[in-house]
């Protein structure tokens, strides 16, 4: 007979079950042999492994019990609250303690909140990527442009099959940067993806038409035009379903860690985007599967994305676009014009005539002016040239200001001379006029007409002296002078 103190734990459990179920001993006999209560032996026979400690009924919670209904009500109300403004278990505990007098511990509150929130985990189906399809998204990262830290809105398109990507950064996320990103990405890939997955950005999906559910979307006009140009199929992910465009989400994290850590520094947006282009090009050239993607892409149309806006010129010869002001020639004051907006520039048209172009501003209340737009007006109002915003914004070299001070004589005549020099700068370029002004200041020249001669002499347009030579083999011309008597005859004829 086996003594019970010779075996321990699971061994006792196994011995009891084998004695009854294999050796055919009775429960009573095993109980007597091993010194185990017969009820325990019976339980061991019914369970193949020790079941562990079991509660016949949940433990009572005398302190939390009266607050359970309040906890569940709070969690139900959270379902309608914004995701980032919902209660945590700690916040519920604090409210129960401060507002309703709960004097128990936070552990019971946390356990009950976790029990209420518990739900079966979502199951997923294994998926494969199909050649010629893409995923598209915008993400934000910080960059340093010309010494100034700015938020960059990064457009990213990924071909999940080959894992080739294209990224370009913009100062602002809007419809024109969204369209321009597509155009650049398709040019980079050498074709248009047949199908692309998007999130529900406002420049693609119209707002105010009810909650976004299912797959149907009410698209904006700009996105519909983009589709019509490139002929790709657009599919929109469900809200809060980043897994539906997992390739681009993962690639965003990779790009941010590799290309934006530490914060990149560049002299301009163009320089920053050129770096990203070179990185993407290396990935494309190294990809072994890109050829399969490329074979499925659609042809790229000749298309330059832009947004058209109707604007009106005010009395300062400025138009306002997205809280910033841009100049146009003064002859268009009061006219209605068409503005073409692109991510980094704007163009202004009167009918089909391009009358102005500016780099785009993104800071509220900024002005972009061109001094050439105001030259006609300055010639009529020369006294304004000293403090004219377009002239100050032009950033002329110091030779221009030195000439203005020398030409200034307290009358409009001196200011008009400086306006004449500005006219020369618009005609010949600032650099050539700057060199001519340096000579003019040294010689004491004050008239714009003299400065013009100095400018033209730089390129040989006006020679300093004339030297005539006869063609080879030809005699020099002879000049005969009439006698003075002939002059007397003319005077008599006049008399």
């Amino acid at each position: 007979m086996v003594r019970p103190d010779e075996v321990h734990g699971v061994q006792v459990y196994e011995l009891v079950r084998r004695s009854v179920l294999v050796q055919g001993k009775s429960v009573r006999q095993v109980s007597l042999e091993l010194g185990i209560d017969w009820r325990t032996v019976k339980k061991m026979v019914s369970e193949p492994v020790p079941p562990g400690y079991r509660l016949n009924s949940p433990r009572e919670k005398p302190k939390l019990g009266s607050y359970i209904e309040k906890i569940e009500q709070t969690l139900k109300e959270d379902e309608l609250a914004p995701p980032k403004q919902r209660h945590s278990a700690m916040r519920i505990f604090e409210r129960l303690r401060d507002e309703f007098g709960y004097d128990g511990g936070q552990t019971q509150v946390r356990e009950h909140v976790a029990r209420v929130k518990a739900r079966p985990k979502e199951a997923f189906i294994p998926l494969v990527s199909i050649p010629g399809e893409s995923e598209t998204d915008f993400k934000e990262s910080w960059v340093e442009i010309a010494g100034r830290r700015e938020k960059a809105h990064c457009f990213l398109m990924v071909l999940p099959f080959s894992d080739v990507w294209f990224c370009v950064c913009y100062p602002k996320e809007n419809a024109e940067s969204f369209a321009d990103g597509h155009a650049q990405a398709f040019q980079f890939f050498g074709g248009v993806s047949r199908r692309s997955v998007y999130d529900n950005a406002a420049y693609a999906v119209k707002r105010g038409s009810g909650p976004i559910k299912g797959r149907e979307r009410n698209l904006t006009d700009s996105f519909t035009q983009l589709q019509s140009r490139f002929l790709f199929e657009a599919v929109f992910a469900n809200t809060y379903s980043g897994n539906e465009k997992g390739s681009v989400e993962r690639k965003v994290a990779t790009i941010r860690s590799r290309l934006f850590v530490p914060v990149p520094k560049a002299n301009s947006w163009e320089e920053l985007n050129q770096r990203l282009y070179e990185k993407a090009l290396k990935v494309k050239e190294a990809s072994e599967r890109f050829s399969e993607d490329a074979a499925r892409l659609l042809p790229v149309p000749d298309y330059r994305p832009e947004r058209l806006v109707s604007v009106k010129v005010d009395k300062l010869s400025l138009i306002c676009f997205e809280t910033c002001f841009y100049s146009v020639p003064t002859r268009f004051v009061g006219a209605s014009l068409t503005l073409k907006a692109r991510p980094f520039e704007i163009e202004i048209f009167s009918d089909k005539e391009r009358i102005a172009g500016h780099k785009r501003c993104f800071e509220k209340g900024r002005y972009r002016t061109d001094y050439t737009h105001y030259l006609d007006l300055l010639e009529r109002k020369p006294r304004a040239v000293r403090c004219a915003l377009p002239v100050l914004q032009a950033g002329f070299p110091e030779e221009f200001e030195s000439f203005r001070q020398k030409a200034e004589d307290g009358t409009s005549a001196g200011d008009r001379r400086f306006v004449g020099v500005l006219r020369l700068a618009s005609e010949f370029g600032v650099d050539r006029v700057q060199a001519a002004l340096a000579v003019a200041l040294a010689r004491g020249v004050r008239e714009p007409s003299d400065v013009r001669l100095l400018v033209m002499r730089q390129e040989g347009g006006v020679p300093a002296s004339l030297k005539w030579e006869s063609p080879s083999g030809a005699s020099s011309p002879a000049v005969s002078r009439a006698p003075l008597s002939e002059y007397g005859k003319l005077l008599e004829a006049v008399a």
Side-chain angles (χ1 to χ4, degrees), residues 53 77 82-83 133 135 155 167 252 281 291 309 314 329 340 343 455:
Y53 182 75
E77 292 174 353
E133 297 188 358
E135 296 176 4
F155 174 91
C167 182
V252 165
L281 188 60
S291 58
V309 181
D314 64 15
K340 290 185 178 180
V455 173

Side-chain angles (χ1 to χ4, degrees), residues 7-186:
V7 290
H8 305 280
V10 178
Q11 294 180 359
V12 174
Y13 203 91
E14 183 270 336
L15 178 60
V16 170
R17 286 177 53 79
R18 181 157 47 83
S19 298
V20 175
L21 299 177
V22 176
Q23 298 176 2
K25 296 180 180 180
S26 66
V27 172
R28 177 182 176 81
Q29 183 180 355
V30 174
S31 175
L32 292 174
E33 289 178 357
L34 300 179
I36 301 174
D37 187 271
W38 68 271
R39 299 178 187 85
T40 303
V41 173
K42 193 173 182 179
K43 289 180 180 178
M44 290 179 174
V45 172
S46 64
E47 297 284 348
V49 293
Y53 182 75
R54 294 176 177 177
L55 285 176
N56 294 327
S57 60
R59 289 192 179 95
E60 295 184 0
K61 299 177 180 178
K63 290 189 175 182
L64 185 65
S66 58
Y67 298 96
I68 288 178
E69 184 179 350
K70 182 62 181 176
I71 294 174
E72 294 178 353
Q73 179 184 352
T74 301
L75 293 175
K76 187 174 182 180
E77 292 174 353
D78 270 357
E79 295 177 1
L80 302 178
K84 294 184 179 181
Q85 293 178 248
R86 296 176 182 175
H87 288 77
S88 63
M90 188 62 186
R91 180 57 183 152
I92 292 177
F93 164 71
E94 292 172 347
R95 289 193 61 192
L96 292 178
R97 180 193 62 194
D98 300 338
E99 300 177 20
F100 302 98
Y102 173 66
D103 59 353
Q106 59 174 284
T107 302
Q108 289 191 356
V109 177
R110 289 180 179 275
E111 290 178 350
H112 190 76
V113 169
R115 191 177 299 111
V116 173
K117 287 185 175 181
R119 57 179 180 268
K121 292 186 177 180
E122 184 178 358
F124 297 95
I125 300 173
L127 302 176
V128 295
S129 300
I130 299 176
E133 297 188 358
S134 64
E135 296 176 4
T136 308
D137 202 0
F138 255 118
K139 291 296 180 182
E140 296 177 352
S141 293
W142 288 98
V143 298
E144 194 170 301
I145 303 295
R148 179 176 179 178
R149 184 158 292 193
E150 298 188 35
K151 183 182 290 186
H153 299 268
C154 308
F155 174 91
L156 182 65
M157 182 178 286
V158 178
L159 301 177
F161 180 80
S162 61
D163 210 29
V164 174
W165 54 270
F166 176 81
C167 182
V168 59
C169 294
Y170 299 96
K172 192 173 182 180
E173 180 181 345
N174 50 30
E176 47 267 36
S177 60
F178 184 67
D180 184 74
H182 278 78
Q184 291 199 50
F186 294 148

Side-chain angles (χ1 to χ4, degrees), residues 355-375:
I355 62 171
H358 296 276
K359 287 187 176 180
R360 189 165 174 178
C361 293
F362 298 96
E363 295 182 50
K364 184 177 181 180
R366 293 288 183 177
Y367 288 77
R368 292 271 190 188
T369 58
D370 185 342
Y371 76 96
T372 62
H373 295 163
Y374 295 86
L375 287 178

Side-chain angles (χ1 to χ4, degrees), residues 395-406:
F396 289 110
E398 60 183 13
E399 286 84 356
F400 282 77
E401 177 61 18
S402 298
F403 181 88
R404 188 194 67 79
Q405 293 176 3
K406 272 199 169 184

Side-chain angles (χ1 to χ4, degrees), residues 45 84 111 153 231 244 351 401 405 412 459 465-466 483:
V45 172
K84 294 184 179 181
E111 290 178 350
H153 299 268
L231 301 178
E244 296 190 7
D351 294 329
E401 177 61 18
Q405 293 176 3
S412 59
E459 302 295 334
S465 61
L466 295 176

